[in-house]
Amino acid sequence: MSHKTAAAANTASDLILETSGLVKEFRGFVAVDGVDLKIRRGDIHALIGPNGAGKTTCFNLLTKFLQPTRGTIRFNGRDITKETPQRIARMGMVRSFQISAVFPHMTVLENVRIALQRKLGTTFHFWKSGRSVDHLNDRAMELLAEVGLEGYAKMITVEMPYGRKRALEIATTLALEPELMLLDEPTQGMGHEDVDLVMQLIKKVSANRTILMVEHNMKVVSGICDTITVLARGSVLAEGDYAAVSSNPVVIEAYMGSEAAELAGAH
């Protein structure tokens, strides 16, 4: 950045993911309606909104599980609107919990090792000797340490507590060396202790990468997110930090009732 002015630093190069006029229609129903997103490099960015707001559809468009009716998606300045999920994963944009496969009857270490093989482009053969992939053990243990699971390496995955399984899914995603991690409701169905664990983990792994997440839990959103985009009826209702969006009368009205109380009381 030594040769850039402060103004130049605030340009498109500062953005890792950008959408323009993103629209998704299902037989006349507009699920996503002209969404313009700008995800800044290095941020933890949340998509929130009341039920039916279009969050999941928007996420599926970004990760290429759905094709948009209209509009463009750019990743690192490159048009990825028509790319496949596999292609964008190789480019460094990886959706956790969807793309990362966790094998329940294998050990925690073996799961991370398989993810490392995928990154290297080598196929995992169940009938081959485990010694053939032992050279990946050191890197797998480093990844487990990064998510606090080094003590679980030999445990069979199905026996792990729920929150630790989510940590393992994050480790297998990290094995693919994502520049942008997309997390789909990472704390869904968790108790308070697991929510705190996963919050701390997301904050930790965000150090050298960008994170975009769909999340319902306002404690998580208020606690770790730099920028929040609020969707309602498929459109962007508001955007900003938590203080700005949680006090926005239009946002409070869209949430209504108990959800509005949760929004206001999360901090």
Side-chain angles (χ1 to χ4, degrees):
M1 219 153 79
S2 54
H3 301 296
K4 291 182 181 178
T5 64
N10 228 353
T11 63
S13 64
D14 207 29
L15 302 176
I16 189 166
L17 186 67
E18 186 176 10
T19 72
S20 179
L22 204 58
V23 173
K24 183 61 179 178
E25 296 174 357
F26 295 101
R27 295 183 181 181
F29 170 70
V30 183
V32 172
D33 189 5
V35 167
D36 296 335
L37 286 176
K38 287 179 167 50
I39 313 301
R40 287 196 306 270
R41 203 175 301 281
D43 270 8
I44 301 178
H45 193 126
L47 283 180
I48 71 168
N51 288 335
K55 303 182 297 294
T56 300
T57 304
C58 193
F59 222 57
N60 284 334
L61 291 170
L62 296 177
T63 51
K64 309 314 304 146
F65 285 84
L66 285 174
Q67 280 297 327
T69 306
R70 289 187 296 283
T72 57
I73 305 166
R74 302 185 78 82
F75 175 59
N76 277 329
R78 178 175 174 177
D79 190 332
I80 62 162
T81 312
K82 299 189 187 304
E83 295 285 6
T84 64
Q86 294 77 13
R87 176 78 179 137
I88 64 165
R90 285 195 295 271
M91 291 165 64
M93 179 173 162
V94 182
R95 179 175 182 169
S96 187
F97 313 144
Q98 250 67 28
I99 288 179
S100 63
V102 171
F103 297 95
H105 299 294
M106 289 188 168
T107 68
V108 169
L109 180 68
E110 285 168 339
N111 267 291
V112 179
R113 214 162 54 184
I114 289 166
L116 287 168
Q117 285 178 271
R118 290 178 64 201
K119 174 64 181 173
L120 294 171
T122 54
T123 306
F124 178 75
H125 297 295
F126 289 90
W127 60 89
K128 279 194 175 179
S129 164
R131 288 193 297 276
S132 66
V133 287
D134 277 352
H135 64 285
L136 295 175
N137 281 355
D138 289 347
R139 178 59 184 144
M141 286 303 295
E142 285 174 10
L143 287 166
L144 288 176
E146 191 170 349
V147 300
L149 292 180
E150 59 270 47
Y152 290 78
K154 294 181 180 178
M155 183 179 279
I156 301 298
T157 301
V158 73
E159 296 169 2
M160 295 178 81
Y162 185 65
R164 301 288 178 177
K165 284 179 188 165
R166 279 294 166 95
L168 175 58
E169 288 169 332
I170 289 177
T172 60
T173 305
L174 293 176
L176 301 179
E177 297 180 13
E179 193 179 347
L180 171 61
M181 280 179 78
L182 297 109
L183 306 180
D184 194 356
E185 301 201 21
T187 66
Q188 187 177 34
M190 288 186 181
H192 293 304
E193 190 177 321
D194 282 340
V195 168
D196 289 342
L197 174 81
V198 172
M199 268 179 76
Q200 290 165 19
L201 179 54
I202 291 169
K203 187 71 176 170
K204 183 182 178 187
V205 302
S206 72
N208 300 307
R209 53 186 63 87
T210 309
I211 294 178
L212 176 63
M213 57 198 280
V214 169
E215 181 55 73
H216 273 109
N217 189 319
M218 289 304 149
K219 177 186 175 184
V220 176
V221 172
S222 65
I224 64 173
C225 293
D226 302 295
T227 307
I228 296 146
T229 300
V230 185
L231 296 180
R233 297 186 184 89
S235 299
V236 175
L237 194 63
E239 190 168 87
D241 62 15
Y242 188 80
V245 300
S246 63
S247 60
N248 186 320
V250 180
V251 174
I252 293 168
E253 185 183 351
Y255 266 84
M256 304 289 281
S258 60
E259 282 186 319
E262 186 188 354
L263 187 73
H267 242 358

